[in-house]
């Protein structure tokens, strides 16, 4: 199946710093990518939908100025957590929309674990 | 009310048992139904998807959808310790629409 990578896989930062997470579709082009956040023992919560060449669409309650999303190419979307605080510590997962066997499937990246001290 | 309800478990079964995982959903617009498996500290991987009501089988896994009652199930036959993971049901209205996930059921298969 299609492969989606994320970088870094793990990051620890100090409170107040900004962190950038990259999501790449390695062997297919993705016009749409999604960013999720998953707290321990909870499900994935959609943060935003990222469309190549246009502004991201954020879910209700997600601060667009805090979570900056850039989808500059058909294979790369980035999520920047600005002025990170301990409550932003979470598992961030991206997915990219592609087609497999005629079905529009979301292929998930391996996730990035962010810890803010 | 959450759009997708799923019992979080945990569910513990002996090796070889048949596992039944279930979800209910509330939005009639949902047309595609998926089951994802997520190992600890990893991203979810798609196990099965289905569009219509009825059963879909893939090896030891069977996905079942009943649109009339808005009920979806995943059955795992001859469960193995390697099946131990969190299983998330998910659904969307199709195409490039966003996916809504259940909370996930943590499964442990004991050797």
């Amino acid at each position: 199946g299609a492969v989606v990578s994320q970088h870094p896989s793990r990051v620890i930062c100090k409170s107040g710093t900004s962190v950038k997470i990259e999501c790449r579709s390695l062997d297919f082009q993705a016009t749409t990518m999604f960013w999720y956040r998953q707290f321990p023992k909870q499900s994935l919560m959609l943060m935003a939908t990222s469309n190549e060449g246009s502004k991201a669409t954020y879910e209700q309650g997600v601060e667009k100025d805090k979570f900056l999303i850039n989808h500059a190419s058909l294979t790369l979307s980035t999520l920047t957590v600005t002025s990170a605080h301990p409550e932003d510590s979470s598992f961030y997962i991206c997915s990219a929309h592609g087609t497999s066997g005629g079905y529009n499937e979301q292929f998930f990246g391996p996730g990035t674990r962010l810890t803010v001290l | 009310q959450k759009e997708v309800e799923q019992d979080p478990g945990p569910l513990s079964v002996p090796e070889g048992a048949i596992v039944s995982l279930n979800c209910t959903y509330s939005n009639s617009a949902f047309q595609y139904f998926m089951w994802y498996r997520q190992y600890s500290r990893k991203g979810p991987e798609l196990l099965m998807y289905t569009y219509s009501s009825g059963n879909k089988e893939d090896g030891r896994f069977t996905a079942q959808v009943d649109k009339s009652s808005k009920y979806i199930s995943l059955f795992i036959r001859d469960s193995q310790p390697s099946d131990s993971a969190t299983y998330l049901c998910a659904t969307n209205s199709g195409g490039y629409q966003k996916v809504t996930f259940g909370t996930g059921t943590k499964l442990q298969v004991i050797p």
Side-chain angles (χ1 to χ4, degrees):
Chain A
V3 177
V4 174
S5 70
Q6 276 185 248
H7 178 80
S9 59
R10 192 181 187 107
V11 57
I12 301 173
C13 69
K14 292 182 179 180
S15 185
T17 59
S18 294
V19 175
K20 179 184 283 189
I21 303 170
E22 292 186 348
C23 176
R24 293 181 184 273
S25 56
L26 297 185
D27 51 0
F28 67 103
Q29 294 183 329
T31 55
T32 302
M33 290 185 174
F34 300 87
W35 286 96
Y36 295 84
R37 181 166 52 183
Q38 186 176 34
F39 291 107
K41 299 184 179 181
Q42 295 187 26
S43 189
L44 283 75
M45 297 300 296
L46 180 67
M47 298 175 67
T49 302
S50 168
N51 294 297
E52 187 266 337
S54 64
K55 290 183 179 180
T57 302
Y58 290 81
E59 294 298 299
Q60 190 174 10
V62 178
E63 299 176 60
K64 59 181 68 175
D65 293 331
K66 181 168 184 62
F67 299 99
L68 301 178
I69 292 173
N70 185 298
H71 194 155
S73 76
L74 287 172
T75 59
L76 174 64
S77 176
T78 60
L79 167 68
T80 301
V81 183
T82 62
S83 187
H85 288 94
E87 58 265 30
D88 298 323
S89 298
S90 187
F91 194 47
Y92 292 86
I93 305 173
C94 71
S95 70
H97 236 298
T99 302
S100 174
Y103 167 65
N104 292 319
E105 179 181 341
Q106 284 195 34
F107 299 95
F108 284 84
T112 297
R113 185 161 300 281
L114 170 64
T115 303
V116 184
L117 302 177
Chain B
Q1 182 189 9
K2 292 181 181 178
E3 287 191 294
V4 180
E5 298 274 2
Q6 183 177 8
D7 186 340
L11 180 62
S12 184
V13 302
E15 182 176 354
I18 296 175
V19 176
S20 173
L21 304 167
N22 308 293
C23 289
T24 58
Y25 64 96
S26 58
N27 191 339
S28 298
F30 290 146
Q31 297 294 321
Y32 287 96
F33 305 93
M34 295 77 77
W35 283 95
Y36 288 85
R37 178 173 61 196
Q38 185 178 24
Y39 292 110
S40 181
R41 300 174 183 269
K42 302 289 185 182
E45 58 174 324
L46 181 67
L47 272 180
M48 299 191 69
Y49 71 88
T50 184
Y51 173 73
S52 58
S53 283
N55 294 349
K56 182 176 181 179
E57 191 173 318
D58 184 1
R60 296 186 294 111
F61 299 89
T62 299
Q64 188 176 78
V65 175
D66 182 345
K67 288 187 176 181
S68 63
S69 60
K70 297 186 177 66
Y71 197 83
I72 53 178
S73 301
L74 177 70
F75 299 96
I76 306 174
R77 292 184 300 280
D78 188 24
S79 56
Q80 303 294 310
S82 58
D83 296 328
S84 298
T86 296
Y87 290 81
L88 300 122
C89 62
T91 179
N92 71 353
S93 55
Y96 284 72
Q97 300 304 309
K98 67 179 183 180
V99 174
T100 301
F101 286 87
T103 53
T105 300
K106 187 172 184 178
L107 171 67
Q108 183 179 18
V109 181
I110 302 170

